[in-house]
Amino acid sequence: MTKPIRVLHVLGGVGLGGAESRIMDLYRQMDREEIQFDFLVHQNDTTVRKPQFYDEEIQAMGGHIYVLPKFKVYNDFSYRKAVKAFFSAHREFRVVQGHMTSTAGIYLPIAKKAGVPVTVAHARNAGVVKGLKGLATRFFRRGLAKKADACFACSALAGQDVFGGAAMKAGRVKVIYNAIDVGRFTYNENVRQEVRAQLRIGGALVLGHVGRFEYQKNHPYLLEVFAAVCGERPDACLLLLGEGQDRPAMEEKCRQLGIAKQVHFLGNRKDAWRFYQAMDMFLLPSFFEGLPGVLVEAQAAGLRCMVSDTVTREAKATELVTYLRIEEPPERWAEEILKQAGYVRRDTAKKLRQAGFDVRAQVQGYRRFYLTGDSSQI
């Protein structure tokens, strides 16, 4: 039997995040006798690695997880040395796809020089964090479009932000939407009632959010919006799925706002699709996004979505999405939420598939690309 070709995905980690989830959606649909995924992640201590959210599933499907030290600017020499050692020892990859674009300008050229036939830089976000870290990211991304064989972006906004306007105009960047397993999220009334019973939230107005507790997601504003909703609807509750360094601060903010009993911190969940069923509305007041998979998931579940106007319009696959400014007072968002709360849930699967958000269709394009190296095949 012919061995499958191996594709290496380079990421910060394989925890529960947007890019990671979209790669796993693709991985599950791929014929793994033909194409196999491996993962190269980054961490401070490379000698001891704590398992992450997707470790077990990756290994069960035949994938390998390798580790590099985190890049911290001051360790530029040792980082490059570690990357060179890795690709010198691993010659099996047909494609290296870098989703960690902050350092893709370092590891992709090294991979190419080591003999990797196809290198890909994949833009997954349309913004950077504030401060020195964001400035460093911008610096190391310079000229990235010329350092990879192919450039992908989850949206035009992400492509513009990561690769620049010249690369976009020259047609160097291919926009590939973050696709999901649409059928998995289709609205199910029985699941809705089960989850609501488990959480003891009965007939409450249930708002929801899925995302890491970090600056980008703008949780402080989200909680202020919810507090404003509670002023009009004391029965309301908020479901928050995700983990992150800012979670303790957000738990404290809930206490300060007097909404602690109405906010459910549910952590990372392998059955996140079930909680979309229990929600009435989905909130995403992010400072920036590439093309948020969670917004596509929410629409697949038939949810009305209140989204910041910084989020790309390409994510709006249905009439369920309303864009609002995060510069507005939280009460403005609360007003719109209460105005739209009485809608009738409908099946949106057909619209999402027509808009190109179904991974079952997208996987065939990726298959052709991985086999031929021709990005026009996607």
Side-chain angles (χ1 to χ4, degrees):
M1 181 182 292
T2 304
K3 289 184 178 180
I5 68 167
R6 304 199 79 89
V7 176
L8 182 70
H9 292 276
V10 185
L11 294 151
V14 286
L16 185 59
E20 297 88 338
S21 295
R22 300 292 74 81
I23 295 165
M24 292 303 294
D25 283 339
L26 188 65
Y27 192 13
R28 295 182 192 108
Q29 301 300 325
M30 197 67 67
D31 179 353
R32 293 185 293 278
E33 291 186 359
E34 183 178 48
I35 299 168
Q36 182 58 255
F37 286 1
D38 294 317
F39 297 80
L40 181 59
V41 302
H42 293 70
Q43 64 181 50
N44 289 322
D45 183 358
T46 59
T47 60
V48 179
R49 182 172 176 275
K50 184 178 180 181
Q52 293 182 294
F53 190 84
Y54 285 119
D55 272 39
E56 187 176 336
E57 186 176 4
I58 288 169
Q59 291 162 355
M61 290 193 289
H64 302 138
I65 302 171
Y66 304 101
V67 182
L68 280 178
K70 276 189 177 180
F71 179 76
K72 297 185 176 181
V73 182
Y74 63 79
N75 69 340
D76 182 88
F77 177 78
S78 60
Y79 180 77
R80 290 173 188 271
K81 183 178 179 181
V83 174
K84 288 177 182 177
F86 175 80
F87 285 109
S88 177
H90 294 276
R91 305 269 181 180
E92 66 269 32
F93 304 117
R94 173 80 63 84
V95 180
V96 173
Q97 191 165 345
H99 308 271
M100 191 175 175
T101 56
S102 56
T103 52
I106 297 174
Y107 60 76
L108 290 181
I110 292 174
K112 189 68 179 179
K113 191 174 181 180
V116 174
V118 181
T119 60
V120 184
H122 199 147
R124 294 286 189 174
N125 226 327
V128 297
V129 297
K130 291 182 176 180
L132 290 174
K133 186 176 180 181
L135 290 173
T137 296
R138 296 279 188 211
F139 177 82
F140 284 101
R141 278 179 179 168
R142 292 177 310 161
L144 180 56
K146 297 178 180 179
K147 297 176 181 178
D149 295 318
C151 299
F152 297 164
C154 63
S155 67
L157 192 63
Q160 175 81 26
D161 186 78
V162 174
F163 300 113
M168 293 293 289
K169 289 177 182 177
R172 284 279 294 124
V173 182
K174 187 173 186 66
V175 175
I176 305 171
Y177 291 158
N178 287 335
I180 67 167
D181 185 350
V182 170
R184 190 180 187 191
F185 292 89
T186 301
Y187 179 58
N188 186 308
E189 178 67 23
N190 292 331
V191 174
R192 174 184 174 86
Q193 297 305 325
E194 288 173 9
V195 175
R196 283 179 166 243
Q198 290 167 5
L199 296 175
R200 299 179 181 179
I201 53 179
L205 171 64
V206 181
L207 310 183
H209 172 83
V210 181
R212 289 191 181 104
F213 286 89
E214 57 184 31
Y215 166 79
Q216 175 187 345
K217 303 300 181 180
N218 200 12
H219 283 92
Y221 186 80
L222 171 63
L223 295 178
E224 290 169 9
V225 168
F226 178 65
V229 170
C230 289
E232 300 295 326
R233 287 287 301 265
D235 68 315
C237 71
L238 176 64
L239 309 184
L240 296 177
L241 279 72
E243 291 289 355
Q245 61 182 7
D246 292 345
R247 174 172 169 169
M250 294 307 100
E251 291 175 337
E252 176 57 29
K253 188 172 181 67
C254 285
R255 289 188 284 270
Q256 293 173 358
L257 291 171
I259 56 175
K261 292 183 179 179
Q262 293 155 278
V263 180
H264 300 255
F265 289 83
L266 300 172
N268 288 336
R269 304 291 303 230
K270 290 187 176 180
D271 59 347
W273 65 273
R274 299 179 69 248
F275 292 89
Y276 284 106
Q277 314 304 315
M279 298 173 191
D280 292 309
M281 303 192 85
F282 183 80
L283 310 183
L284 191 70
S286 302
F287 285 113
F288 58 85
E289 293 281 354
L291 193 149
V294 292
L295 180 54
V296 180
E297 291 173 353
Q299 291 175 84
L303 285 168
R304 284 207 178 274
C305 307
M306 300 293 135
V307 182
S308 62
D309 65 354
T310 56
V311 174
T312 175
R313 268 43 177 187
E314 291 160 285
K316 183 177 180 178
T318 69
E319 73 286 351
L320 295 171
V321 180
T322 298
Y323 290 93
L324 296 166
R325 297 173 67 246
I326 51 178
E327 292 80 14
E328 297 274 7
E331 290 76 14
R332 172 69 188 93
W333 279 58
E335 177 186 350
E336 193 64 33
I337 288 167
L338 294 169
K339 177 183 173 182
Q340 296 195 30
Y343 70 100
V344 177
R345 203 100 163 235
R346 292 186 173 88
D347 188 341
T348 59
K350 184 177 179 180
K351 284 189 176 182
L352 285 161
R353 291 188 175 109
Q354 289 174 339
F357 286 106
D358 189 2
V359 73
R360 293 177 185 271
Q362 195 179 87
V363 69
Q364 295 305 319
Y366 267 110
R367 172 187 174 273
R368 291 191 292 270
F369 168 66
Y370 291 142
L371 291 174
T372 67
D374 181 0
S375 61
S376 69
Q377 296 294 311
I378 302 181

